[in-house]
Amino acid sequence: MTSLKSEVGAVSYPPSLWPDPLTWSNYGRVFTHKTFGIELFNSLLYSMGGVALALVVAGPAGYAAARFEFPGKRVLMLAILMTSMVPGVALLAPTYFILDRLGLVNDAFAIIVISAARVAPQTVWFIQNFVSGVPQEIEEAAVIDGASRFQSITRIVIPLIRPGLAATIVLGMIMIWNDYITVATFAPDIGRRTLQVALVNQVFDAIGMSWSYFMAFAIVASIPVLVLFIAAQRWFIAGLTAGGLKG
């Protein structure tokens, strides 16, 4: 409701629940802001690129962990899980040092790689759990019928774990979309920042902050992930349920 209030109405006392007068001007200011399109594009680029790269790297690893036995497998999987528990703040200084030496500060691909590294550990575990739920006999029957390993994965395993993949993608997208510190630290240039960075800058950089505009910006920045979640809700719930039963 605050996003539909005027600047005076948003800070009036005593506060009112309903906007009077109701105004959509704050949303108009958000959509017509000169950097909004760039920030939206960057948010989509980093989120989609990070999740796609994580699936490319972690997908085969998760499949291998589910289908093959090798020495040190349990230790390796625990090590992968532990990497997701390291606070991101603890890695900021060394990561920035490396990127600065390589001239990759403000580089979009570097942000995608860092984002993918953040969601890759959980992706490995999710894929392992979902693939383990597919009977290996189905793949063996396909191989006997002449299918290659690649064909059995793309034509049998992936369609069967589609709800799990949807859950993994949605969770990864939400994590990267809501990430502030990675982009704010490694891509300080205005042309590289995301909606989340722009949202926080409304608080720290603004002079005479407009709370109604801030709330409108926060709602607009949340819409893409909400739409994604609603669109994939059926598969998302099915995937989480399947993973929980397997675990």
Side-chain angles (χ1 to χ4, degrees):
M1 289 297 108
T2 302
S3 66
L4 299 176
K5 294 181 179 178
S6 63
E7 293 187 20
V8 175
V11 294
S12 63
Y13 185 85
S16 60
L17 178 61
W18 302 105
D20 184 22
L22 185 147
T23 176
W24 295 92
S25 61
N26 297 308
Y27 289 94
R29 290 174 58 192
V30 172
F31 287 114
T32 57
H33 194 274
K34 60 182 180 181
T35 60
F36 175 77
I38 298 174
E39 293 152 359
L40 176 61
F41 173 79
N42 288 335
S43 293
L44 292 172
L45 176 66
Y46 300 154
S47 300
M48 298 174 68
V51 170
L53 183 58
L55 284 174
V56 169
V57 175
Y63 177 85
R67 286 292 185 251
F68 302 107
E69 294 295 333
F70 50 87
K73 172 182 170 181
R74 181 175 176 79
V75 175
L76 177 61
M77 293 301 292
L78 288 176
I80 291 174
L81 181 61
M82 289 175 64
T83 59
S84 66
M85 301 177 185
V86 178
V89 176
L91 303 175
L92 288 180
T95 306
Y96 188 90
F97 177 79
I98 294 172
L99 293 180
D100 187 50
R101 286 298 182 93
L102 297 176
L104 294 177
V105 175
N106 283 319
D107 186 86
F109 184 69
I111 298 299
I112 291 175
V113 172
I114 294 171
S115 300
R118 290 196 59 211
V119 299
Q122 71 177 34
T123 304
V124 172
W125 273 84
F126 285 163
I127 298 297
Q128 182 207 23
N129 278 335
F130 295 131
V131 173
S132 297
V134 178
Q136 193 165 354
E137 291 76 9
I138 298 179
E139 283 190 79
E140 293 174 348
V143 172
I144 292 173
D145 290 338
S148 64
R149 173 73 72 175
F150 179 78
Q151 289 173 324
S152 68
I153 293 174
T154 55
R155 297 181 182 181
I156 296 175
V157 177
I158 290 180
L160 290 176
I161 66 170
R162 195 163 45 190
L165 284 175
T168 304
I169 292 172
V170 171
L171 285 175
M173 287 281 290
I174 292 174
M175 282 185 62
I176 298 175
W177 183 275
N178 291 327
D179 181 31
Y180 163 78
I181 197 166
T182 299
V183 179
T185 304
F186 304 129
D189 190 89
I190 293 178
R192 295 298 185 190
R193 71 183 185 183
T194 61
L195 288 174
Q196 302 303 326
V197 175
L199 177 63
V200 176
N201 286 349
Q202 298 296 323
V203 178
F204 292 105
D205 294 347
I207 299 176
M209 177 182 171
S210 170
W211 282 104
S212 53
Y213 174 72
F214 177 80
M215 295 307 298
F217 201 110
I219 291 175
V220 171
S222 304
I223 288 176
V225 288
L226 289 176
V227 171
L228 175 66
F229 178 80
I230 293 173
Q233 183 181 19
R234 178 169 59 88
W235 288 355
F236 181 77
I237 295 175
L240 289 183
T241 304
L245 292 175
K246 182 62 183 176

